[in-house]
């Protein structure tokens, strides 16, 4: 029997009758039933001509069936290609043209519009709650066993398109081995077991909700409460039955605004994990005060899966993303890939079994992002402290160069966030006739707070070298964010590009 990710899931399932999925309003689904549903779907894929290595593009809403489809692709040896449910038909046409999927599974309600944009594509559909659509109809009566394709750990399991903040989105090729190694490490370092129930409110088209959350549960034999989306009432309703939660920072900031968050409502919880965007130190502290739990922050990206994590046992440092995972090498390097010393800021580079195989059909781009010794340049800037903890100071492309001097937005943002009356901040460089780039601060005020541009400037006065001072401070109602809660700085640079013109 070939060794691949799905085989490892099967071997890990504790008691096949144990519940894997707990979808609200539907009966629990056991591991056995999940694998059987995946077998039925795999038969449908094969009937539609899918052979190992074929891409299966998927744009559906979150449901148990969406996960069975992922497992069906693994069983059939197909390459699972999930797409953000917010993409429009014309955006989908780019992905389809690039990945050339054999088959496209879309939401029933979108089929007509997508088919018009992709006239030569073969489609199956899935209803938004997962219980209808041609995929489901065709799977009815199909056998509940399936002769799994003999793919191995080095074969592709998935292509995940990066969010593409600069230029077009790139397809990150992830192997069965990439996904398995990461799931196994995270299970160990976060102590996941068959006794765990994960509160799952993340989307299933992104690495966080799909691979970090789902694969860890499958490898650990844990159950997941599969909420269709993040909704405060639903989350607080499900919390008593969970032991762990994984979320993006916005989940935590929103839960902090709710009086239902307290020591009692979280007493039984074992672990809260945050990632995909920076968790403000303020949120970390606020959460700990209210609940007694220190949120565990980890760091990863589509191309590498997870790289570092704060420890389960030991200090979880606010503002830090922790220590390298077992088997993952992390270094801070200069422009030439030369390792820098402790405390110095440079590019975060990583190497290990978690790191992807390359960008789909972009060999030159792939080559340009790897060092000759195998390290991948993440595009994130960071620094490592005396205890080996990594902190991220921003994306390489967000670095501001003003008057020829390097300025790291995070340093200024951290000071701004501490000011009374400031809810959160984002600092970007905008074209400036004199300085090249002008440091520009965007602030969201706390409710009912009154704070002026001059007060902010004065407050920074003593704390920050003159050249790092914002040229302007602008107040906004909210920062633009994508579905994973990441602040879209490229969008801010575009909107305000003429501020200093
Ligand atoms: P994605 O590929 O969408 O998961 O985005 C990966 C990027 O998100 C990384 O390269 C980081 O810039 C950012 N990121 C992920 N986790 C964290 C974290 N804990 N703190 C700060 N940034 C993070």
């Amino acid at each position: 029997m070939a060794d691949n990710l799905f085989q490892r899931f099967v071997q890990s399932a504790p008691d096949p009758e144990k519940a894997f999925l707990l979808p609200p309003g539907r009966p629990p689904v056991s591991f056995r039933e999940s694998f059987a549903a995946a077998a039925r779907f795999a038969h449908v894929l094969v009937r539609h001509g899918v052979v190992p290595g074929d891409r299966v593009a998927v744009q559906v809403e979150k449901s148990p069936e969406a996960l069975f489809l992922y497992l069906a692709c693994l069983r059939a040896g197909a390459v699972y290609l999930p797409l953000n449910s917010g993409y429009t038909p014309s955006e989908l046409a780019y992905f389809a043209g690039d990945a050339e999927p054999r088959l496209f599974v879309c939401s029933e309600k979108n089929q007509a519009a997508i088919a018009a944009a992709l006239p030569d594509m073969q489609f199956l559909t899935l209803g938004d709650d997962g219980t209808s659509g041609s995929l489901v109809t065709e799977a009815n009566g199909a056998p509940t066993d399936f002769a799994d394709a003999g793919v191995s750990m080095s074969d592709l399991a998935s292509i995940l398109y990066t969010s593409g903040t600069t230029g077009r989105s790139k397809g990150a090729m992830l192997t069965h081995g990439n996904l398995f190694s990461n799931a196994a490490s995270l299970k160990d370092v976060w102590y996941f077991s068959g006794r765990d129930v994960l509160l799952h409110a993340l989307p299933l088209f992104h690495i966080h909700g799909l691979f970090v959350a789902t694969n860890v549960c499958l490898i650990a034999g844990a159950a997941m409460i599969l909420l269709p989306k993040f909704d405060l009432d639903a989350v607080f309703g499900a919390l008593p039955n969970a032991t762990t939660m994984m979320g993006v920072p916005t989940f935590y900031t929103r839960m902090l605004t709710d009086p239902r968050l307290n020591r009692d409502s979280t007493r039984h919880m074992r672990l809260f994990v945050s990632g995909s965007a920076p968790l403000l130190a303020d949120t970390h502290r606020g959460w700990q005060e209210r609940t007694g739990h220190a949120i565990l922050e980890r760091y990863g990206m589509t191309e590498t899966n997870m790289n570092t994590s704060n420890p389960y046992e030991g200090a979880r440092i606010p503002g830090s993303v922790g220590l390298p995972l077992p088997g993952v090498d992390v270094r801070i390097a200069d422009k030439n890939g030369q390792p820098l010393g402790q405390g110095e800021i440079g590019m975060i580079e990583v190497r290990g079994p978690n790191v992807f195989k390359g960008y789909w059909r972009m060999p030159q781009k792939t080559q340009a992002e790897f060092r000759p010794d195998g390290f991948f340049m993440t595009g994130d800037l960071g620094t490592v402290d005396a205890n080996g903890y990594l902190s991220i100071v921003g994306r390489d492309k967000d670095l501001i160069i003003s008057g020829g001097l390097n300025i790291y937005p995070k340093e200024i943002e951290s000071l701004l966030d501490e000011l009374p009356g400031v809810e959160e901040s984002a600092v970007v460089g905008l074209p400036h006739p004199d300085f090249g780039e002008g440091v520009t601060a965007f602030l969201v005020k706390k409710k009912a707070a009154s704070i002026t541009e001059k007060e902010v400037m004065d407050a920074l006065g003593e704390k920050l070298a003159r050249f790092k001072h914002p040229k302007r401070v602008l107040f906004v109602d909210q920062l633009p964010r994508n579905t994973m809660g990441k602040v879209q700085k490229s969008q801010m640079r575009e909107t305000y590009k003429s501020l200093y013109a």
Side-chain angles (χ1 to χ4, degrees), residues 161-163 206-208 249 274-279 297-303 306 320-321 378-380 392 394-395 410 482 484 486:
Y161 277 85
T162 60
S163 25
H206 184 269
I207 186 136
H208 194 166
S274 175
S276 293
L279 182 77
E297 186 171 11
R298 92 310 180 266
Y299 158 62
M301 63 196 304
T302 303
E303 289 91 332
M306 299 305 104
S320 161
V321 292
T378 61
D380 291 314
I392 299 174
R395 293 287 296 166
K410 178 81 181 287
N482 71 6
M484 297 309 291
K486 284 190 226 294

